[in-house]
Each structure stands twice: as structure tokens, then as C-alpha cells.
């Protein structure tokens, strides 16, 4: 059995268990608080408060697990989109648009636009406008490669 498969399966089980724990502890906390206000506690208010405190801790830990996995998944997706954009820009001679990237990578336009903005903010690419008036992004590292291989460059510098 593949070790990474086992690891991924265990992580999915951990997240599913954490979601289930969030639902169960949340429901029990509401129930126990309701019993305190209704005056129908079976073991006394102090015991109910102790259970509520314990369940709140479990709720918080489970919420942390789910949130951290979601955050990690989102970061992995951003890396995937960035790599697809860079690969497409390299193939396109260093000039790439949002629509080209979204279409070639199968990503949503909003995600793709955010990825281009992130790359532009870090200085990896620059915003330009095509002759047709469409925003495009110029990747200097890849346009330099095109210039060196053809000894010409058609974009205005």
C-alpha cells in the first residue's frame, strides 16, 4: 500500500471526524445550556457547566483542525494555479491573459485574476494592454528568453 495514499486517507478521516465532533459538541452545548435555563438539569448546574467547558474545548480543537486543513488546501490550490500560469506564460512567449490562463487551466476567472494580481504584486509579471484593449500580463523572465532566441522583441519596452 502506498504511504502517501495512507497518509491522505488518514487526513481525510481526521477532517471528517473533526467535522462530526464540531456538530456533536455544538449540539450538546446548546442542549446543556437549554437545560440550565429550563431548570431541568439531571446532575446539577455545576456538572452541566463542567460538561459545557469540556465540550467547548473539543469544539475549539476540532474547529482548528478543520480550519488548518482548509487553509492548507487553499494554499495548495493557489500554488497549482500559479504554476499553471507560469507554465502557460512560458509557452506563450512571456505574455499571458487572464482568459487564456483560465481557459487553458480550467480555473475560475476570479481565482485566475487573483493569482495574476498576486504574481504582479510580487514583481514576477507586469500588467500591460494588448492592441485589442485586453489586459495581459508580461513575464519579463520569459520575454527575455524569447528575445535571446530570436534576437527581436515586439512589445514596447
Amino acid at each position: 500500500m502506498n504511504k502517501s495514499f495512507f497518509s491522505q486517507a488518514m487526513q481525510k478521516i481526521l477532517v471528517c471526524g473533526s467535522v462530526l465532533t464540531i456538530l456533536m459538541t455544538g449540539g450538546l452545548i446548546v442542549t446543556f445550556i437549554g437545560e440550565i435555563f429550563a431548570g431541568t438539569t439531571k446532575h446539577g448546574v455545576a456538572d452541566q457547566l463542567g460538561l459545557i467547558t469540556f465540550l467547548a474545548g473539543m469544539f475549539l480543537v476540532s474547529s482548528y483542525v478543520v480550519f488548518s486543513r482548509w487553509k492548507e488546501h487553499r494554499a495548495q490550490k493557489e500554488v497549482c494555479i500559479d504554476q499553471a500560469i507560469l507554465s502557460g506564460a512560458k509557452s506563450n512567449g512571456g505574455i499571458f491573459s487572464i482568459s487564456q490562463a483560465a481557459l487553458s487551466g480550467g480555473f475560475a476567472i476570479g481565482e485566475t485574476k487573483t493569482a495574476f494580481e498576486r504574481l504582479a504584486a510580487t514583481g514576477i509579471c507586469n500588467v500591460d494592454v494588448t492592441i485589442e484593449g485586453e489586459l495581459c500580463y508580461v513575464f519579463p523572465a520569459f520575454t527575455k528568453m524569447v528575445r535571446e532566441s530570436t534576437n527581436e522583441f515586439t512589445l514596447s519596452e
Side-chain angles (χ1 to χ4, degrees):
M1 185 179 261
N2 190 351
K3 186 175 182 178
S4 66
F5 172 78
F6 181 73
S7 174
Q8 288 174 353
M10 290 303 294
Q11 288 177 4
K12 287 182 181 183
I13 290 170
L14 176 67
V15 170
C16 288
S18 295
V19 169
L20 183 61
T21 302
I22 289 169
L23 294 173
M24 286 183 4
T25 56
L28 288 170
I29 289 170
V30 170
T31 301
F32 290 156
I33 290 173
E35 287 178 358
I36 290 173
F37 283 122
T40 60
T41 59
K42 295 178 184 159
H43 302 289
V45 175
D47 290 342
Q48 293 289 86
L49 290 175
L51 284 171
I52 291 170
T53 303
F54 173 74
L55 292 171
M58 287 181 62
F59 181 90
L60 290 174
V61 168
S62 297
S63 297
Y64 175 77
V65 168
V66 171
F67 178 73
S68 64
R69 289 295 303 148
W70 173 76
K71 190 175 173 183
E72 183 179 320
H73 175 72
R74 192 178 77 210
Q76 288 173 346
K77 188 169 186 176
E78 287 177 358
V79 167
C80 180
I81 293 171
D82 290 353
Q83 288 176 342
I85 288 172
L86 291 171
S87 176
K90 185 176 181 181
S91 303
N92 246 20
I95 303 168
F96 212 36
S97 70
I98 294 171
S99 57
Q100 288 173 315
L103 186 60
S104 67
F107 304 116
I109 295 288
E111 291 175 328
T112 308
K113 183 177 185 235
T114 302
F116 272 108
E117 291 169 352
R118 186 173 50 250
L119 292 170
T122 58
I124 294 173
C125 62
N126 303 311
V127 181
D128 203 348
V129 180
T130 64
I131 296 170
E132 296 83 19
E134 182 182 18
L135 275 180
C136 68
Y137 292 81
V138 179
F139 293 77
F142 300 139
T143 56
K144 181 180 178 187
M145 291 169 53
V146 171
R147 275 186 275 167
E148 289 174 353
S149 65
T150 62
N151 289 332
E152 60 183 68
F153 187 62
T154 56
L155 275 181
S156 59
E157 294 187 73

